[in-house]
Amino acid sequence: MKNSSLLMIIAILIVAMNSVGQSIAPAPPPAGISEKKIAPKTYHYTNSDDSLFLDSLFKGYDKSGSNTGIKKTTPAGTTVTIGTQTWMVKNLDVSAFRNGDAIKEAKDTEKEWDDATDKGKPAWCYYNNDPGNGKIYGKLYNWAAVTDSRGLAPEGFHVATDAEWTVLIEFLGGKESAGGKLKEAGTSHWNPNLKSTNSSEFTALPGGYREGGYREDHGEFLDIGGFAHWWTATKHNNDGAWSIYLYADDSFINIDYEDKTFGMSVRCVKDK
């Protein structure tokens, strides 16, 4: 009897020792809170305003108050999920189509830009033809580049349509207030920068645009620091396409059409 009891005690000790050091899976998330892996064995739980706080009952987790549907996704710093959409957090900055074909850089003279856009040939440029601007604001593209069948956006993404921009705007409260939630906060790039919070983490920057159409100043670069202007992938008519405007001095965001010969920034959204 004594030997049996001793063997039982030893067996219990062995089981207990083997369990020590084993990784313990984190507790399941609280109801209504989404899971997001941010580091090995570390998880974030987000809902509403994406503010984070630790709950002692869920060690290893951050969680927050009510559901905004906004969260960073992988790879780190490149996309943000807003509602049901996943957007790139920077303007597009590619010089080749998805298949590897180069896109012409129209630089130095207005004639190069006019020649490309008037003939419907894809082209891009840096604001003021300065690569330093490209590092911050990305490239400006003409409409022919945006809609080329070889694909301007990276694999798994596409240039957002006006309908997709509308979904984003409505999710953030409509045209009157969405702009402030999209704009980068502070005056590092926007000047001035009124009514901005960047609560969406979209981090919109004022990359300006290149004038197009038949205006006297066509081909000129305008409004860097004060104006963000993006193409959508949606045609308006034979001469124009829908585009998005953001302003330094307001939280308003606008959707309107412009001549296809303009040069504008591009934002991409993830394929579904």
Side-chain angles (χ1 to χ4, degrees), residues 91-111:
N91 293 338
L92 195 63
D93 187 22
V94 298
S95 55
F97 292 112
R98 192 180 300 173
N99 69 351
D101 289 350
I103 307 169
K104 176 181 176 59
E105 179 183 7
K107 58 182 180 180
D108 298 334
T109 66
E110 293 175 12
K111 186 176 185 304

Side-chain angles (χ1 to χ4, degrees), residues 45-79:
Y45 287 101
T46 64
N47 43 12
S48 178
D49 57 2
D50 217 24
S51 62
L52 304 174
F53 63 91
L54 284 173
D55 186 330
S56 60
L57 296 177
F58 297 94
K59 290 183 178 180
Y61 297 92
D62 291 328
K63 67 171 192 170
S64 63
S66 47
N67 195 358
T68 60
I70 297 170
K71 63 178 182 178
K72 283 289 183 67
T73 56
T74 56
T78 61
T79 62

Side-chain angles (χ1 to χ4, degrees), residues 94-211:
V94 298
S95 55
F97 292 112
R98 192 180 300 173
N99 69 351
D101 289 350
I103 307 169
K104 176 181 176 59
E105 179 183 7
K107 58 182 180 180
D108 298 334
T109 66
E110 293 175 12
K111 186 176 185 304
E112 284 188 74
W113 183 259
D114 290 344
D115 284 347
T117 55
D118 290 346
K119 295 174 183 177
K121 294 181 179 181
W124 66 268
C125 63
Y126 295 117
Y127 189 96
N128 273 344
N129 297 310
D130 181 355
N133 287 323
K135 293 177 182 178
I136 300 171
Y137 303 105
K139 292 179 172 64
L140 303 176
Y141 298 92
N142 65 5
W143 169 255
V146 170
T147 57
D148 194 284
S149 61
R150 289 169 287 185
L152 183 63
E155 189 71 34
F157 289 82
H158 60 274
V159 179
T161 64
D162 67 331
E164 288 171 317
W165 276 98
T166 299
V167 168
L168 174 68
I169 292 166
E170 292 303 313
F171 182 82
L172 295 176
K175 288 185 177 181
E176 295 297 329
S177 60
K181 298 173 184 178
L182 292 168
K183 289 192 296 181
E184 179 193 56
T187 55
S188 296
H189 301 105
W190 289 94
N191 187 25
N193 192 8
L194 305 182
K195 302 180 181 180
S196 66
T197 64
N198 197 29
S199 60
S200 69
E201 300 189 34
F202 187 87
T203 316
L205 295 178
Y209 62 98
R210 192 165 195 176
E211 187 70 85

Side-chain angles (χ1 to χ4, degrees), residues 26 29 33-46 60-62 71-77:
I33 297 179
S34 60
E35 178 178 299
K36 171 174 60 173
K37 189 170 183 179
I38 60 169
K41 299 181 184 178
T42 304
Y43 297 79
H44 271 186
Y45 287 101
T46 64
Y61 297 92
D62 291 328
K71 63 178 182 178
K72 283 289 183 67
T73 56
T74 56

